[in-house]
Amino acid sequence: MMDNPTGAELVSRITTEMHNDSKYLYRDSLEYTPCKYSRSMGWGELEQRIQISDITTSDAFIAYAVYKLGFCNIEMIALYLRHLKKLWPDSIAPADIELRSLKNRIRILASSGVVRAFQYTIPDARAAVSEKTNTSTVIVVYSITELGAVMTQRLLCMSFRYDSLLPQAPLFDVFRRLACGYVSLCLLNNIYCEEYISGEILYLGKNLGDINVYSRLYFKDRTDGERYLVYVEPLFMSTDVKVLAASQNAQEIKRRAVLLERHANYVKDNYKDVKIVYVVENWEGFIAGLKILKKYCSPSFIENNCWFTSENVLYQNRQNVTSSFIKVRLETNGDRISLKTGLAVHPVILSGKKQIMGERADSSGSIDIVCDDSADVQGMEQGA
């Protein structure tokens, strides 16, 4: 293990990890089924459980974390609870709860109809929280129910809108939300991060319309007051073609990328910098996505405003954001693209205990990739 790795060595680690499939890569063979302990319940029975303290105010904070995240796993809930405790230090949000105890409380909430619990299995996965079998890993995904949303508002004296159609999202989109959510939570663990918003429709500006963003985070430098805006977007090529064809998926990536570039230009006077963090599912998807970005976005936008990572990278780096993102520069030479990679660094957005700056951050590697005019209609089709 290198104690003081250079930027080039860190980039090599990141790109090596990006070659591994995300546990949120959509596969046609996946079985996404309710957990046996997850069930529906009426308000009267839930009210009784609250009255006898089977469900407590502390549990309501757990349910609130699930609501804010949309779709999440145990580790994501734990990360968000820590954020809530920092936000509301006098609250009884269980920020220091162990994962095993948190899992038990979630099971109680699922058996009470407050949250839904679904599971799926993948071969040889490296899930943050999982149950190993001989040949596969079971990954459990949580979302809040309408009953749970009502209970949370009552117990915590809150008022918020609940998207009753959220649980009907197609599985490949659930996975994209999970990957982006995890990366966002790692960025949220930052003294400069002021706000994290997940899964809301955002008005992009005059003549741009709106877009349902996966995540956005707001940062503020405490020394000079400068503000920064970060969007976290999936760059996933895998899709269920019974729902969204590969060509449609590529067109949606194009549409969102073009809109976000225009939006970044529209709000540039309000923020010192706007970044788009693209979360990829594997190296193949990363290259395919880059081809789309290169075709429809300006080179300066890709080079100066876009960073790339995967949830695998941050998981393996124990959520250390200072050594988990890469930046790219694309140079065209005939039908080939020279892909220059470097370590993404930032004194505010990527602030951490092991800040990496200067010469070590500027080291980069170079990879040649083939590009053609059909890049926007190629993808990894599943479910044909």
Side-chain angles (χ1 to χ4, degrees):
M1 189 74 176
M2 294 171 284
D3 294 328
N4 192 31
T6 64
E9 290 166 336
L10 289 171
V11 169
S12 178
R13 290 183 188 178
I14 294 170
T15 55
T16 297
E17 191 58 46
M18 286 170 65
H19 277 77
N20 294 317
D21 285 345
S22 165
K23 57 179 171 289
Y24 302 128
L25 172 72
Y26 179 81
R27 301 169 176 86
D28 187 45
S29 58
L30 287 177
E31 293 186 7
Y32 190 67
T33 57
C35 295
K36 293 180 179 179
Y37 55 83
S38 183
R39 68 187 188 92
S40 299
M41 182 177 289
W43 176 253
E45 190 174 354
L46 176 60
E47 184 179 31
Q48 183 179 14
R49 289 198 173 193
I50 295 172
Q51 289 175 346
I52 63 176
S53 297
D54 278 354
I55 295 177
T56 65
T57 303
S58 176
D59 292 325
F61 280 102
I62 296 174
Y64 180 69
V66 176
Y67 157 73
K68 291 294 289 184
L69 296 171
F71 295 99
C72 52
N73 61 25
I74 283 288
E75 186 181 23
M76 291 168 65
I77 297 171
L79 289 171
Y80 196 78
L81 287 172
R82 293 175 200 168
H83 168 67
L84 286 181
K85 192 65 174 180
K86 292 178 182 178
L87 196 63
W88 305 321
D90 295 331
S91 74
I92 58 171
D96 298 326
I97 189 171
E98 294 182 353
L99 285 180
R100 180 179 299 180
S101 298
L102 178 58
K103 188 174 183 179
N104 290 336
R105 299 312 304 173
I106 281 286
R107 281 177 175 263
I108 291 173
L109 292 175
S111 67
S112 303
V114 174
V115 301
R116 298 178 186 86
F118 284 82
Q119 66 181 31
Y120 65 97
T121 60
I122 56 176
D124 193 30
R126 293 177 297 183
V129 180
S130 59
E131 301 170 6
K132 289 285 186 179
T133 68
N134 291 333
T135 58
S136 62
T137 298
V138 177
I139 298 177
V140 183
V141 179
Y142 304 99
S143 63
I144 199 166
T145 66
E146 187 169 8
L147 180 67
V150 173
M151 182 209 77
T152 302
Q153 293 179 82
R154 296 283 177 83
L155 292 183
L156 299 183
C157 297
M158 292 180 172
S159 178
F160 53 75
R161 294 182 61 186
Y162 168 70
D163 182 1
S164 59
L165 296 179
L166 183 65
Q168 310 308 317
L171 185 54
F172 66 86
D173 191 50
V174 172
F175 288 172
R176 295 174 187 193
R177 291 172 183 266
L178 286 163
C180 289
Y182 181 73
V183 173
S184 299
L185 288 171
C186 294
L187 290 168
L188 178 63
N189 186 27
N190 181 331
I191 61 172
Y192 298 115
C193 188
E194 293 193 320
E195 187 176 8
Y196 162 57
I197 300 175
S198 172
E200 290 189 3
I201 295 177
L202 174 67
Y203 175 67
L204 294 178
K206 186 177 180 181
N207 300 324
L208 295 180
D210 52 38
I211 186 173
N212 192 346
V213 297
Y214 283 79
S215 300
R216 69 183 189 271
L217 301 101
Y218 297 88
F219 296 80
K220 184 177 181 179
D221 191 330
R222 295 182 178 180
T223 57
D224 58 18
E226 295 284 3
R227 300 169 66 227
Y228 302 84
L229 174 60
V230 175
Y231 291 99
V232 181
E233 276 280 301
L235 196 62
F236 276 36
M237 305 306 294
S238 63
T239 179
D240 182 352
V241 297
K242 298 188 296 294
V243 179
L244 186 73
S247 58
Q248 291 176 297
N249 181 59
Q251 286 293 332
E252 180 64 5
I253 292 173
K254 165 199 165 183
R255 184 185 75 88
R256 296 176 68 87
V258 170
L259 283 176
L260 287 171
E261 179 176 6
R262 291 176 181 173
H263 177 65
N265 290 327
Y266 181 75
V267 300
K268 63 183 179 181
D269 293 337
N270 299 327
Y271 300 93
K272 186 173 183 179
D273 202 358
V274 179
K275 297 294 186 185
I276 315 297
V277 173
Y278 280 107
V279 184
V280 306
E281 57 199 343
N282 55 25
W283 189 257
E284 182 181 356
F286 168 59
I287 297 301
L290 270 182
K291 292 178 181 180
I292 297 174
L293 296 184
K294 182 185 183 300
K295 189 170 183 179
Y296 296 104
C297 297
S298 67
S300 61
F301 174 73
I302 297 173
E303 182 176 346
N304 299 320
N305 296 89
C306 298
W307 294 338
F308 302 86
T309 191
S310 73
E311 104 282 343
N312 276 338
V313 173
L314 281 154
Y315 176 61
Q316 293 302 312
N317 282 349
R318 299 183 179 181
Q319 302 152 16
N320 180 11
V321 298
T322 64
S323 57
S324 296
F325 299 83
I326 60 171
K327 58 185 179 180
V328 304
R329 185 172 72 253
L330 300 174
E331 299 174 354
T332 304
N333 182 13
D335 64 347
R336 305 192 70 85
I337 301 173
S338 177
L339 169 62
K340 307 287 186 179
T341 59
L343 184 69
V345 297
H346 198 282
V348 176
I349 300 172
L350 301 182
S351 174
K353 293 181 179 179
K354 296 181 179 180
Q355 195 72 18
I356 301 167
M357 302 295 291
E359 179 183 354
R360 290 164 55 238
D362 295 332
S363 302
S364 64
S366 178
I367 303 168
D368 285 340
I369 60 176
V370 177
C371 184
D372 56 59
D373 290 338
S374 64
D376 60 337
V377 296
Q378 293 179 339
M380 299 163 51
E381 295 198 9
Q382 297 287 338

